[in-house]
Amino acid sequence: MFPTSQTDAPQTKPILVDRFGRHVTYLRISVTDRCDLRCVYCMAEKMQFVSHSQLLTLEEMVRIGQAFVDLGVTKIRISGGEPLVRRNILYLFRTLGVTPGLNDFTLTTNATQLPKFANDLKKAGVTRINISLDTLRQDRFRNITRNGDINNTLQGIEAAVATGFERLKINAVILKNHNHDEILDLVEYAVAHQIDISFIEEMPLGAISEHNRAETYFSSDQTFSVIRKHYELLPSMETTGGPSRYFRIPDLKTRIGFISPHSHNFCDSCNRVRLTAEGRLLLCLGQEHSVDLRQVVRSYPDDDEILRQTIIDSMAIKPKGHEFDLSKDPVITRHMNHTGG
Ligand code: SAM
Ligand code: SF4
C-alpha cells in the first residue's frame, strides 16, 4: 500500500527511480494541445488537434497528478498547447493545487489570458509562472506566432506582475536572423519588470516549414557572449528544479537562465516526466517511450493502486536521454504543443 495524498505521509525513500538512478520528482501536464497562437518553432501551420473525446478529462488529470504526488513528485507544471484556453481550467488548478505534498505548482503560458486568470491562479496556489516572449516587436511577434497580437501577451505580463507571484520568468527561444538581435532588449525588459529570463535553444520536435532549424540555430554560448558584453554575469548555484543554468547580474533581481538541449545536455540530471493531454506518459521529451495512462484510469476508475504501480513500472523504460540532431529531419514527429513544453 502506498501513502496517499490524503494521509500526507512523509517520503522516506524515493519511489520513482529509473534505471540510471535518476529520481523523478517533477511532472509536467499538457492540459490541451490547442492554442490561440501558432508559433513557428512549435507547431506546423496546419495542425491536426486531438479530438475532445480523446482528451483526458480534468478530473482524470487531477487523479493522475495526485497519484504522482503520492509517489514522491513534489513539483507539477501545467503546460500545453496553451493551458489557459482549456475550458474550465481553473477547476484543475483549484483541485490539484491543494494536494498535500505538492510544494511547487507552476504554469507555462503565452500570457494572452492572464489578465482574466492571474488573480484566480494565485488564489489556487500557483507560485511561479513561465511566460513565452521571443520578441518585443509587433511585426516580428505576428510573424513568429503566425498572427498573434503582442499587446495581449504584454498586457498578460503586466497583469501577472501586478498580481505578485513568487517568481515570473520569460522564456525566449532564440533563432539566428529572426530575433537574435533582440537578446539585450529582452534582458532589459526582464530587468525593468524585475523578473527572470531564460534563453532556449530550439529543439527539433515535429516538422515545421518556416525556417531550417540547423540554419537558425543560435547556441546558448552565443547568447551568453552577447549579454556578457553589457552585463556582468555571475554563475549561480540556484535551481528551479528545471534544466536552466542560472546567472545573476550584480545588484539586480533578474536572473538569466540558459536552457541548452544541444550545447549543454542536461539529460544526466533529468528529474521529470510528461503527461500529454490524451493521457500518454512520455518518459523523455526527445524519445517516444511512453505508457498509456488514459487506458489505465478508464479501465480502473476506482483503483489508484494499479495506476500508481503502472507509474512505478514506467520508470523501467525511461531512456537515458534525447539524441537531437539538427542536421537531419526530426526523428520525433510530435510537436511541442502535443508534448507540453
Ligand atoms: N503555450 C505556452 C507557452 O507558449 O508558454 C505553453 C506551451 S509551449 C509548448 C512551452 C514552451 O515551449 C514555450 O516556452 C515555447 O517557447 C517552448 N517551445 C515550443 N516549441 C519549442 C521548440 N521546438 N524548441 C524549444 N522550445 C520550444
Ligand atoms: Fe502556442 Fe506556446 Fe506553442 Fe506558441 S509555444 S504555439 S504559444 S503552445
Side-chain angles (χ1 to χ4, degrees):
M1 186 71 183
F2 301 101
T4 67
S5 52
Q6 304 307 317
T7 58
D8 195 20
Q11 296 295 319
T12 44
K13 107 176 172 356
I15 304 171
L16 296 181
V17 182
D18 75 0
R19 291 171 295 155
F20 307 97
R22 295 173 299 190
H23 180 190
V24 170
T25 53
Y26 181 6
L27 172 69
R28 297 173 82 117
I29 304 179
S30 172
V31 295
T32 176
D33 60 340
R34 290 166 198 254
C35 186
D36 51 348
L37 301 180
R38 293 282 182 278
C39 300
V40 293
Y41 47 74
C42 176
M43 290 194 192
E45 182 145 28
K46 291 208 167 33
M47 288 292 292
Q48 185 74 40
F49 293 110
V50 175
S51 69
H52 289 291
S53 63
Q54 299 299 306
L55 293 178
L56 288 178
T57 64
L58 295 178
E59 288 81 0
E60 287 167 338
M61 287 181 184
V62 169
R63 188 176 157 210
I64 294 173
Q66 288 176 339
F68 271 95
V69 176
D70 290 341
L71 295 171
V73 160
T74 54
K75 173 173 177 178
I76 295 182
R77 177 174 293 281
I78 304 302
S79 186
E82 175 44 46
L84 299 181
V85 302
R86 172 107 192 222
R87 212 161 142 249
N88 203 19
I89 190 64
L90 280 177
Y91 165 83
L92 176 113
F93 283 102
R94 288 176 177 143
T95 319
L96 200 50
V98 294
T99 305
L102 180 61
N103 301 334
D104 203 2
F105 192 38
T106 61
L107 161 72
T108 300
T109 175
N110 64 27
T112 60
Q113 311 299 312
L114 279 180
K116 182 171 158 201
F117 285 114
N119 269 318
D120 286 326
L121 290 169
K122 188 170 180 216
K123 278 189 211 145
V126 173
T127 47
R128 297 190 287 121
I129 303 185
N130 288 354
I131 297 171
S132 302
L133 180 70
D134 308 314
T135 175
L136 294 166
R137 301 192 195 171
Q138 173 84 272
D139 55 335
R140 279 191 184 172
F141 188 91
R142 204 175 301 119
N143 288 339
I144 291 175
T145 60
R146 298 198 189 94
N147 227 10
D149 180 350
I150 195 171
N151 291 314
N152 295 333
T153 287
L154 295 181
Q155 283 162 17
I157 296 173
E158 299 296 336
V161 170
T163 304
F165 289 93
E166 235 169 67
R167 278 218 171 259
L168 296 174
K169 179 166 77 101
I170 302 288
N171 275 344
V173 177
I174 298 299
L175 307 177
K176 184 161 87 183
N177 295 332
H178 285 68
N179 64 348
H180 81 270
D181 55 344
E182 282 192 74
I183 291 168
L184 284 177
D185 293 345
L186 288 163
V187 170
E188 276 159 28
Y189 178 86
V191 168
H193 287 79
Q194 301 199 340
I195 59 186
D196 296 336
I197 182 162
S198 275
F199 293 97
I200 306 177
E201 293 175 349
E202 184 183 1
M203 296 171 230
L205 294 176
I208 52 161
S209 51
E210 269 79 357
H211 62 270
N212 176 320
R213 282 174 166 143
E215 281 171 13
T216 56
Y217 175 62
F218 200 79
S219 73
S220 292
D221 290 344
Q222 289 171 291
T223 303
F224 183 88
S225 301
V226 171
I227 302 170
R228 207 179 41 184
K229 283 191 186 123
H230 293 81
Y231 293 95
E232 189 183 349
L233 290 177
L234 305 172
S236 164
M237 294 309 285
E238 287 163 285
T239 167
T240 53
S244 259
R245 292 172 297 126
Y246 281 105
F247 293 80
R248 276 203 175 272
I249 303 172
D251 305 324
L252 294 182
K253 223 176 151 214
T254 296
R255 294 180 299 183
I256 313 277
F258 298 91
I259 301 177
S260 325
H262 303 287
S263 58
H264 294 267
N265 184 305
F266 38 70
C267 299
D268 281 352
S269 57
C270 183
N271 60 352
R272 72 201 50 204
V273 290
R274 291 174 164 80
L275 181 69
T276 70
E278 67 266 51
R280 202 172 148 213
L281 180 66
L282 286 168
L283 282 310
C284 173
L285 173 73
Q287 304 279 2
E288 290 297 3
H289 305 64
S290 68
V291 173
D292 182 1
L293 290 187
R294 185 183 61 193
Q295 186 261 330
V296 177
V297 288
R298 293 196 179 164
S299 303
Y300 304 97
D302 301 315
D303 193 341
D304 284 349
E305 197 92 29
I306 293 179
L307 173 59
R308 287 189 288 258
Q309 192 58 53
T310 308
I311 295 169
I312 292 173
D313 294 345
S314 73
M315 293 297 114
I317 59 162
K318 185 167 167 59
K320 194 164 192 297
H322 65 70
E323 286 149 15
F324 291 146
D325 184 348
L326 289 173
S327 65
K328 298 186 183 142
D329 283 341
V331 177
I332 303 297
T333 52
R334 138 176 69 76
H335 288 87
M336 190 64 119
N337 66 307
H338 286 299
T339 308

